[in-house]
Amino acid sequence: MKKDYFFVVSMTLLLLSVIAFSDNLIWDIGQESNSDPKFLIHGLLCFAWFVIFVVQANFIRKGDVRSHRKWGIAGMLTAVGVFVSTVYIFIVIYQGWEAMPFWIKANRYLMLSFAILVGLGYGSRKNPVRHKRFLYLATLYMLEPVLGRIGGHMGLMDWQFDVFEALIWNVLFVSLFVYDWKTLGKIHPISWIGVVWFYIVWILAILF
């Protein structure tokens, strides 16, 4: 089961993204955002990132390192596209920092953190222990829009949104800690520092 961990969590994240944007994909395809190029391109790039994460995790699960390395280039190019398209949307929609609600501010910090972690992951590609943790945490950092959309489909109120998102994130964080403990006998510094930074981001977003 330990070798399947990243495949299982990557499939979980992909499933969450499909549920989140099921209206765009299945039952409300005529909505305005589906014909807006900036949202369409951004959505396709983000979906591609989740798909590539599953594919890459499966390659490693099967021991196919060569294919994993080949797909790594596509993953890095997709990550660049995700970052650039997200920054563009932030600039176009929100006129200034003060105009943003706190969760949008948090997403700005987290998207910059996503870019840094992906870069660190690519730089650590010859160190599997570091590589996979950097990229997994990067993916978790881009999860808020997904969880927010799912909460919207469920009709959650504001406090219920907070509880729901915190529950999903913390389950994923704890699962990483458990995986670390079972495979390394300790919680890896990248894992716990990544979680601490995640909460620092939310505190900064709320306060400033």
Side-chain angles (χ1 to χ4, degrees):
M1 184 62 186
K2 288 183 284 189
K3 74 174 185 177
D4 295 330
Y5 171 73
F6 285 99
F7 178 71
V8 171
V9 291
S10 67
M11 284 294 295
T12 300
L13 296 178
L14 177 60
L15 178 61
L16 288 173
S17 70
V18 170
I19 294 171
F21 294 93
S22 59
D23 56 329
N24 297 81
L25 295 170
I26 303 171
W27 49 270
D28 190 14
I29 60 175
Q31 60 184 285
E32 185 177 349
S33 62
N34 272 10
S35 59
D36 189 322
K38 64 178 178 292
F39 291 119
L40 188 60
I41 292 171
H42 173 69
L44 289 173
L45 286 167
C46 290
F47 186 69
W49 174 263
F50 285 112
V51 170
I52 290 172
F53 189 37
V54 171
V55 171
Q56 290 289 67
N58 191 48
F59 281 143
I60 294 300
R61 183 172 68 107
K62 298 188 329 186
D64 190 352
V65 177
R66 179 174 295 182
S67 296
H68 180 81
R69 288 173 177 169
K70 288 181 179 179
W71 274 71
I73 302 299
M76 292 305 104
L77 292 175
T78 301
V80 171
V82 169
F83 179 74
V84 172
S85 65
T86 303
V87 170
Y88 177 73
I89 288 174
F90 279 146
I91 292 173
V92 170
I93 294 181
Y94 298 100
Q95 302 300 315
W97 189 256
E98 296 302 323
M100 300 179 197
F102 76 90
W103 63 88
I104 299 297
K105 294 178 181 178
N107 281 330
R108 280 207 166 183
Y109 287 123
L110 291 172
M111 186 48 58
L112 178 58
S113 301
F114 165 84
I116 293 170
L117 288 178
V118 168
L120 290 171
Y122 185 75
S124 302
R125 59 193 180 278
K126 294 183 180 180
N127 185 328
V129 172
R130 293 166 58 87
H131 174 74
K132 58 192 175 185
R133 285 168 175 80
F134 279 135
L135 293 179
Y136 180 43
L137 285 167
T139 306
L140 293 184
Y141 282 3
M142 61 183 290
L143 202 56
E144 196 282 328
V146 169
L147 298 180
R149 289 288 294 260
I150 294 175
H153 296 333
M154 295 168 64
L156 301 180
M157 295 183 290
D158 287 346
W159 69 270
Q160 293 171 326
F161 263 109
D162 296 338
V163 171
F164 171 71
E165 292 190 356
L167 176 63
I168 299 298
W169 261 314
N170 282 293
V171 166
L172 293 168
F173 289 146
V174 169
S175 75
L176 178 59
F177 290 168
V178 171
Y179 172 79
D180 281 356
W181 195 263
K182 288 186 175 181
T183 56
L184 303 174
K186 63 178 182 179
I187 298 175
H188 195 282
I190 291 173
S191 300
W192 68 259
I193 291 172
V195 174
V196 168
W197 174 245
F198 173 85
Y199 282 106
I200 289 174
V201 162
W202 282 98
I203 292 170
L204 291 173
I206 291 170
L207 295 178
F208 303 104

